[in-house]
Structures are given as structure tokens and as C-alpha cells.
Amino acid sequence: MTSAPLTYREISLVRTSLSVVAPQATEMTVYFYAILFARHPEVRALFPENMDVQRDRLLRGLLRIIDLVDDVDNLVRFCSRLGRDHRKFGALDEHYPAVGQCLVSSLERFAGTAWNPEVAAAWTHAYTLAAEVMIAAAADDTRLRPASWEAQIVRHEHRGHGIAEITVQPDQPYPYVAGQYVSMETPWYPRTWRHYSPAHPPRADHTLTFHVRAVRQGQVSNALVHHAVPGHMVRLGPPQGDMTLASAGDRDLLLVAGGTGLAPIRALIEEAAFSGMRRYVSLFVGARTADELYGLNDMLRLAQRHHWLSVRAAVSHENIPGQQGTLPQVLHEFGPWDRHEAFLCGPPDMVTTAVRTLLHQGIPYAHIHHDPLDTPILTAPLTPPRSGQEFDQL
């Protein structure tokens, strides 16, 4: 980062002016992309055909950058992630000034009387600072790995309830750690990326298997489940995420999986078995009905081979023998878990409620791990929060 950090005056100016344009955020982002594509048509190919989601991401990314302008360490972390992630889109160094000019023009148009040369200079400084970090991070990443990997689907198996196990063979080795997630682009929706977790640790043949559920109105997931066949090609972005065993220290593990959230949890268990870990692991698998307890039999077979693994299942919408209730309810019943390291994956509502339950039972937030509940590149945690207050408003 070569530019100096923003001054307190500049921080005040960008935040005040952003609050002025916030009520017109939707119109401003539409205008921004219109002038960007008109002035620089070469960048249109970097974006998906349907821009609705992209407009929202621009605003949220901008808001997070402004929120971090007085926290240099986290600003660098966030912008570095953005820069590395933008490589898969084909972003080049020369694209950044074009985006910055159009962003300042858009802000000026919608800020009205709140705009003046001093505000313009503050925004130019803020954007230049972020762009420098993104460009440097992308350059460093270029020396380490490809921007993306081409991968062929080599196996596609339906598992019922709209779930498919999809195995791909990358065109070159794909390094990752058990528990991480992968962004994937399909041929049916170019430049639209979705995130899936490998259901296993790295393999010698470099194949990756994903558990994909076709969700309502999910174009990419439905294409992968119902239209993809062996031979189709997909593209993989670099691995992301910190939900790995390296963060667990020497504590016993609590693993919680809802639906296809079992994929990274299963990968963690297999990694633990492979490494000869000498800790106890308590796994809770949940679903609405018994038929939807995806992958439970595989986990029970693992428990038969490994004495340190215990497996419990819970259903919330069916009366059957065994545990009944949501996963957070069952966790509360079997707790406390304050001496465990917790890993959770599943629907956002389940994860949010389970985190609350574990916090109330005394697990420090630093010992609770889960993937971002929204767009990962925009919402992934930066530095560990000091408490569980982040969930007070959820």
C-alpha cells in the first residue's frame, strides 16, 4: 500500500456523503454500471448477464470498505481478499482506474449539494487506497496459483431429495484444506459463481466431490443437479474459508451439520481420522424428516470404525424414535459444550440459532467456526470478534 491512510477529515467526508446517497443506492448503482459499460465496453464481459445481484454486491462491498477506512489492518485484509477473488473474473490493473472514475461520477450525480471538490478528493483517495491493495494482492496471488481451474465432471449421482453428488477432475492439481469451500462457474450461467464445499480431504488423484442440493429458484444448483452429466466442464475459483482443523487447538470437537452442510463436516472427520487425531468428536446431523437425513448412514459407519466419533441425528418435523427437534434444541439438551471447539454448516437460520445456543452455553465465539452466511467474499470475518455480540440482532 503506497498511499497514506485517510485522515480523520477524509473519513468523515466519505461517510457523510455516503449517507446522503444511501437512500438512492439502487438508482446510483444502476447509473454506475450504465456509465461504466458505456465508457469502457471492454469490461462488460467480466460481469454476468443478469446484473441484479451484482448491483447489490457493489453497494455492499463499498459499504464495507467505507466501514473499514479507519481500521487499516482489516481494510488491507478485506481488499486483499477482493483483489485475489477478482482474478477469476479476468480483472486487470487497467480496469481499476476506470471503475474509480465511474464511481466518483456516480457519487457526484447523486450526492447533490453534499458534493464538492474536497469530498471528491477524499473519495478518490479512499478508492485509490483500496485499489492499490487489490492490485498488489492479485499480483502476489498470480505468483502462487492460477486464477481459476478448468474441471470436467467425471461422475454425477442423484441421491434423492434434489441432491446430487458431483465429482470433478481439475485440469491441474487443486490445493485446498479439508473444511474449505470452492467457488464454481457453470457453462449454463457464465460469470455467475456459487460456493460449494468438497466432501472430503484432498485426494491423490486431485478429484473433488461436491454435494449439491437444487434449491428453489437456484439457477446454478438446479442446472448442476438436473442437467449436468459427465463430460460437462465447470470452472473453479481458488479455495476459501478458515473452517479447518488447524483452528481447533487440542480441544474436543463438536460438529453440527444440516442438510448438505454435512459435506465440509464430513471432510473434517475424514481429515481427523487420517491424521490420527486423539480427540473426541461429537457429530449432530439434522433435517426436517428422517428421509432427509442425508449421509447419516455413512457417518454411522465411520463411527463404527472410530471409537472417538459419536453420531446423533435429529428431525424437526416428524415423530420418530430418537431425537426430535431442531439441531439447536438438541444441542441445548446434550450440552454444555464450553470445553469444545465447534464447527457448524447448514442453512443460515440453523447456523445462527445454533451459534446463539452455544454462546449461551459458554463457548467463546473464538471457538465457534462456520462459513460466512451470505456472499463469502463480502461477509467473511476479518479479525476474530471480541464477543458474541454480533448475533444479538440476528
Side-chain angles (χ1 to χ4, degrees):
M1 185 171 66
T2 58
S3 294
L6 269 67
T7 65
Y8 288 116
R9 171 68 176 171
E10 290 174 317
I11 292 170
S12 176
L13 289 171
V14 296
R15 286 180 171 165
T16 300
S17 56
L18 186 61
S19 69
V20 172
V21 303
Q24 309 169 80
T26 301
E27 294 86 350
M28 190 193 78
T29 52
V30 170
Y31 178 79
F32 163 77
Y33 281 110
I35 62 173
L36 177 65
F37 296 156
R39 296 177 186 177
H40 306 279
E42 70 278 7
V43 306
R44 182 63 182 89
L46 276 61
F47 295 90
E49 182 177 342
N50 185 338
M51 290 293 295
D52 291 343
V53 174
Q54 182 62 35
R55 293 188 186 100
D56 175 66
R57 289 179 179 174
L58 169 72
L59 179 63
R60 292 165 62 201
L62 180 62
L63 288 171
R64 196 166 196 199
I65 287 173
I66 299 308
D67 185 53
L68 295 172
V69 289
D70 55 355
D71 182 353
V72 174
D73 290 342
N74 272 330
L75 178 66
V76 170
R77 290 187 184 95
F78 179 61
C79 291
S80 295
R81 288 179 180 175
L82 285 178
R84 291 190 293 268
D85 192 62
H86 277 58
R87 290 186 62 217
K88 70 188 182 191
F89 302 127
L92 303 175
D93 291 0
E94 55 265 31
H95 293 150
Y96 286 91
V99 170
Q101 293 162 10
C102 293
L103 175 62
V104 171
S105 295
S106 302
L107 290 162
E108 178 180 9
R109 178 182 176 90
F110 287 87
T113 58
W115 195 263
N116 58 49
E118 188 182 16
V119 174
W123 270 102
T124 300
H125 185 185
Y127 178 81
T128 300
L129 189 69
E132 285 177 354
V133 176
M134 293 174 68
I135 290 170
D140 289 342
D141 202 53
T142 299
R143 291 187 281 270
L144 298 175
R145 58 187 180 182
S148 62
W149 287 254
E150 298 293 326
Q152 183 180 54
I153 297 176
V154 294
R155 190 170 72 250
H156 188 290
E157 301 180 45
H158 289 280
R159 295 302 188 190
H161 299 283
I163 297 174
E165 287 188 11
I166 301 172
T167 301
V168 304
Q169 177 72 67
D171 59 348
Q172 52 187 309
Y174 185 92
Y176 73 98
V177 178
Q180 289 189 304
Y181 54 89
V182 177
S183 56
M184 182 186 298
E185 179 196 44
T186 70
W188 302 280
Y189 298 98
R191 299 177 298 281
T192 299
W193 297 78
R194 295 293 181 266
H195 295 86
Y196 302 102
S197 298
H200 52 86
R203 294 167 171 161
D205 64 359
H206 305 297
T207 59
L208 298 97
T209 297
F210 302 95
H211 298 175
V212 181
R213 181 189 296 275
V215 299
R216 183 177 300 178
Q217 298 181 338
Q219 294 177 321
V220 173
S221 63
N222 275 279
L224 284 169
V225 172
H226 299 301
H227 301 297
V229 296
H232 280 142
M233 301 295 295
V234 297
R235 194 154 64 107
L236 308 179
Q240 302 176 58
D242 302 312
M243 197 177 74
T244 65
L245 289 182
S247 60
D250 59 357
R251 297 157 67 94
D252 289 339
L253 305 183
L254 169 64
L255 308 180
V256 184
T260 52
L262 183 61
I265 298 298
R266 175 176 181 158
L268 292 174
I269 294 173
E270 292 186 4
E271 176 68 17
F274 178 78
S275 65
M277 184 188 70
R278 297 181 180 275
R279 285 176 284 177
Y280 289 102
V281 178
S282 298
L283 169 64
F284 289 81
V285 181
R288 290 169 53 88
T289 67
D291 287 344
E292 295 174 350
L293 284 170
Y294 175 75
L296 176 61
N297 289 336
D298 291 340
M299 297 299 97
L300 292 173
R301 283 190 287 269
L302 273 175
Q304 290 175 349
R305 296 199 299 269
H306 303 293
H307 69 89
W308 43 261
L309 174 62
S310 65
V311 179
R312 295 182 178 91
V315 297
S316 58
H317 289 69
E318 185 179 16
N319 291 319
I320 62 171
Q323 301 303 318
Q324 186 175 352
T326 65
L327 277 172
Q329 291 169 339
V330 174
L331 286 176
H332 184 271
E333 178 181 346
F334 280 86
W337 302 102
D338 54 298
R339 297 182 181 275
H340 288 68
E341 199 84 12
F343 295 82
L344 303 88
C345 192
D349 288 348
M350 181 278 287
V351 172
T352 299
T353 307
V355 168
R356 279 205 202 100
T357 299
L358 297 178
L359 290 171
H360 291 159
Q361 290 195 343
I363 296 188
Y365 190 86
H367 296 307
I368 302 175
H369 310 274
H370 59 83
D371 289 336
L373 302 180
D374 201 340
T375 309
I377 197 62
L378 298 181
T379 58
L382 295 169
T383 56
R386 290 184 295 273
S387 71
Q389 294 177 348
E390 290 76 5
F391 283 82
D392 290 347
Q393 302 301 319
L394 294 177

